[in-house]
Amino acid sequence: MNIKGMFLDHKKNTAGAKTVELPLPKQVRIAMQQCAGAACDVLVKPGDQVLVGQKIGDSDKYMSVPVHSSVSGKVTGISELLQVGGRTCKCVDIETDGTQTLLEGIKPPVITDAESFCRAVRESGCCGLGGAGFPTHVKLGFDREKYNVDTLIINAAECEPYLTGDHRTMLEDTDSIFDAIAAIKKYLGIKNVHIGIEKNKPDAIDVMRGNAAKYDSTVRITALETKYPQGAEKVIVYNLTGKIIREGQIPADVGVVVLNVSTCAFIGKYLRTGMPLVSRRLTVSGDAVGNPCNVNVPVGTCFEDVLWYADCDPEKIGKVISGGPMMGTDLFDLQDPVCKTCSGILAMRQGGDRPGERVQTACIRCGRCIRVCPVGLMPTVLEKAFDKKDRKTLSKMKVSLCMNCGSCSYVCPAKRDLAEKNQLAKALLRTM
C-alpha cells in the first residue's frame, strides 16, 4: 500500500537554533484543561503562595492528568479561559515572585512494576506533547489481557513546516529519550522499539543512531521520507511496521504504542528528577518574527510574552498560529496562555505565508483532495454529506478515519474548508 501525502516547503529555519530559556514572566495563567480528557478541579485559592512543581489542579477522572505550577509566587485569582471549540475552563492566575523556589520533596519516583510506572507518569502531569494531548498514563496503561502490545514507536517525524522542537529534543535530550525507552521496555514488557525520523533531520538521525548503539542496539532508527503527514499516527505505524490501524481501532489493537519523541524525553527526565511537566520547548517562527528561535517556556506564559522575546513586531502581524501551519489553531487573543500541548507559535504577516483571508469558490471536481488524502477519503463527497447532515453517507464513506492533517484544504484551488467540515462531520456522527 502506498501512503499518499504532500511534499511541502518545510521552512525549518530554526533547526540549528539551540533551545534557550525564556526570561521569567511577571505572571502566568495556568489552564485546568490541558489534555484530551477531563478538566482538573482547582486546588488553590486567591492569596495562596505556590511553589514550582506544586500540584494546583487535579481530577478523579481516569482520562485526566494533574496540573502543576510552573512558577513560585502568589495566586491572584481564578479566571475563565475560552478554548478552541467554544469550551471554557478555569485558569489559576499567579504573580511570580522571581525566586522560582521548588516545592520541597520533589524527587525521582519509586517504581517497581507496570502499575507504579503508569501511576508515576500520571502524577508527572504528562500528556502527549505532539499536539493531541492524550493522557500518557492511559496510553501506557493498556489492558495487558486484552492487548498483546510488543512494539513501541517513537514518533520523531515532526512533519509540520516550521516546527523544530522535536528535532532539538533529539539533539539536546538524547539521554532522556533512551532512559524512557529503557523504563518502558522494563516495566511494560515491550520488546521492539522503532524511532521514525524524517530524512530532513540528518544530524538527529546520526545522533540517535549513535546513542542507540551505545544504549540499546535493539532500537531501530528509520529515516523516513520527508512527506506530509508522515507524523500522523496511522501513517507512521504503517511505514515503520506495515501494520494497518483500521476504522475504530487504536494502535494497541495492532500491538503498538506510539509516543511523541518529546513526550518520551520528558518521561526520562521525570524518572531522573521527579520534576513534573511545568515547561514546554516550542518553536517561535514565521515571517513576522525578527528572531526565530526554540525556547523553553513556563506553562501558563502568555503568547504575547513569547512573541516579544522573539522580537516580533505586533504591527506587522496578520495571523498568529499555535502549533504548525497545517494542523495548528489560529489565536485571537495573545494574552491566552501557553499549554502543555503547544509545540510552536507562528506569527505571519498579513498576506504572507498563511494569508488571513480565504475566498471560497465552487468545487471544480479536480480531485486533488482525493489524491493527497493519506487514508484514501473523498473530501468533496464528505463535504456534501455534511452540508446535508447525511449521517448515513458520512458513516459509509468513513469520515471517522480523517486525522485532520489538513492536506485536502491545503491543495484545494477553490479554498474549500474540507478539513474543517470533516471534523464537524465526526462531531455530528457522535450525536447519533
Side-chain angles (χ1 to χ4, degrees):
M1 183 175 70
N2 180 36
I3 298 290
K4 294 181 283 187
M6 302 183 297
F7 297 98
L8 301 173
D9 181 358
H10 278 76
K11 301 180 183 290
K12 303 286 190 177
N13 309 318
T14 56
K18 293 182 179 180
T19 307
V20 296
E21 295 289 328
L22 183 79
L24 187 66
K26 294 181 180 179
Q27 60 183 13
V28 295
R29 294 180 67 209
I30 302 179
M32 295 294 103
Q33 174 80 59
Q34 297 209 37
C35 72
C40 290
D41 298 320
V42 178
L43 302 180
V44 292
K45 61 183 184 301
D48 285 354
Q49 295 291 325
V50 295
L51 304 175
V52 178
Q54 179 179 335
K55 189 185 293 187
I56 59 175
D58 205 351
S59 170
D60 59 3
K61 303 291 191 303
Y62 181 58
M63 277 287 291
S64 69
V65 295
V67 177
H68 304 79
S69 179
S70 59
V71 298
S72 60
K74 181 180 179 180
V75 177
T76 57
I78 309 299
S79 59
E80 295 278 342
L81 174 67
L82 179 62
Q83 298 180 298
V84 174
R87 295 185 302 176
T88 61
C89 76
K90 300 290 185 182
C91 277
V92 175
D93 304 336
I94 304 172
E95 183 180 90
T96 60
D97 60 16
T99 67
Q100 285 301 84
T101 305
L102 299 183
L103 178 70
E104 186 177 352
I106 288 181
K107 59 184 179 181
V110 176
I111 300 172
T112 58
D113 54 17
E115 183 179 355
S116 58
F117 176 66
C118 291
R119 185 165 58 246
V121 171
R122 185 194 184 279
E123 283 301 303
S124 74
C126 185
C127 60
L129 301 182
F134 195 87
T136 307
H137 72 281
V138 176
K139 187 176 288 189
L140 297 178
F142 53 87
D143 186 335
R144 284 154 185 78
E145 294 185 0
K146 180 179 179 181
Y147 300 109
N148 182 26
V149 175
D150 62 0
T151 301
L152 169 66
I153 288 179
I154 306 298
N155 187 345
E158 196 166 43
C159 59
E160 277 265 15
Y162 292 98
L163 303 183
T164 59
D166 287 348
H167 189 163
R168 296 311 309 179
T169 294
M170 288 185 279
L171 298 178
E172 299 173 20
D173 296 328
T174 321
D175 292 349
S176 295
I177 296 169
F178 282 91
D179 286 347
I181 289 172
I184 291 170
K185 291 180 69 175
K186 176 180 179 179
Y187 296 116
L188 303 187
I190 289 176
K191 299 178 181 179
N192 310 309
V193 180
H194 296 266
I195 303 178
I197 311 170
E198 282 194 326
K199 290 179 181 178
N200 62 355
K201 306 170 186 64
D203 52 351
I205 293 171
D206 289 344
V207 167
M208 294 297 282
R209 282 179 172 166
N211 279 272
K214 180 173 68 171
Y215 285 100
D216 188 342
S217 60
T218 67
V219 174
R220 182 176 178 181
I221 313 294
T222 300
L224 299 167
E225 186 178 22
T226 305
K227 185 178 183 180
Y228 184 84
Q230 187 68 259
E233 190 171 70
K234 290 182 176 68
V235 174
I236 199 167
V237 168
Y238 177 79
N239 285 339
L240 292 179
T241 70
K243 297 179 178 180
I244 299 173
I245 302 173
R246 302 190 183 279
E247 185 179 18
Q249 289 187 324
I250 60 173
D253 284 305
V254 296
V256 172
V257 167
V258 184
L259 290 182
N260 170 264
V261 70
S262 291
T263 308
C264 198
F266 167 73
I267 292 172
K269 285 183 183 179
Y270 176 71
L271 296 178
R272 186 174 65 251
T273 66
M275 176 59 69
L277 184 53
V278 296
S279 64
R280 177 68 215 249
R281 176 190 277 113
L282 49 82
T283 301
V284 189
S285 191
D287 58 5
V289 174
N291 178 33
C293 55
N294 289 297
V295 59
N296 193 48
V297 175
V299 170
T301 304
C302 75
F303 286 99
E304 186 175 56
D305 284 347
V306 184
L307 289 171
W308 178 86
Y309 175 78
D311 191 24
C312 179
D313 185 349
E315 298 299 322
K316 297 178 180 178
I317 295 176
K319 183 182 290 289
V320 179
I321 305 162
S322 173
M326 298 300 294
M327 296 183 70
T329 57
D330 294 344
L331 291 173
F332 296 98
D333 188 347
L334 295 184
Q335 294 303 310
D336 283 352
V338 170
C339 292
K340 297 175 184 179
T341 55
C342 178
S343 54
I345 307 173
L346 307 182
M348 306 299 189
R349 296 172 182 261
Q350 186 67 42
D353 288 339
R354 182 174 167 178
E357 184 178 358
R358 288 172 56 90
V359 179
Q360 289 191 15
T361 57
C363 174
I364 60 173
R365 308 293 190 272
C366 65
R368 294 181 189 180
C369 58
I370 298 171
R371 289 195 293 272
V372 300
C373 180
V375 291
L377 300 180
M378 301 180 70
T380 53
V381 175
L382 294 170
E383 181 190 32
K384 281 188 174 182
F386 172 74
D387 289 342
K388 295 178 180 178
K389 301 298 183 285
D390 183 352
R391 291 178 169 87
K392 183 177 179 180
T393 298
L394 290 171
S395 180
K396 180 181 178 181
M397 301 303 292
K398 300 187 181 301
V399 70
S400 62
L401 283 174
C402 175
M403 58 185 76
N404 197 28
C405 68
S407 297
C408 52
S409 292
Y410 183 85
V411 300
C412 178
K415 307 300 181 185
R416 312 288 301 176
D417 290 326
L418 301 172
E420 179 182 352
K421 290 286 182 71
N422 283 354
Q423 300 316 299
L424 294 170
K426 289 194 289 185
L428 179 65
L429 286 186
R430 289 194 291 267
T431 64
M432 292 178 66

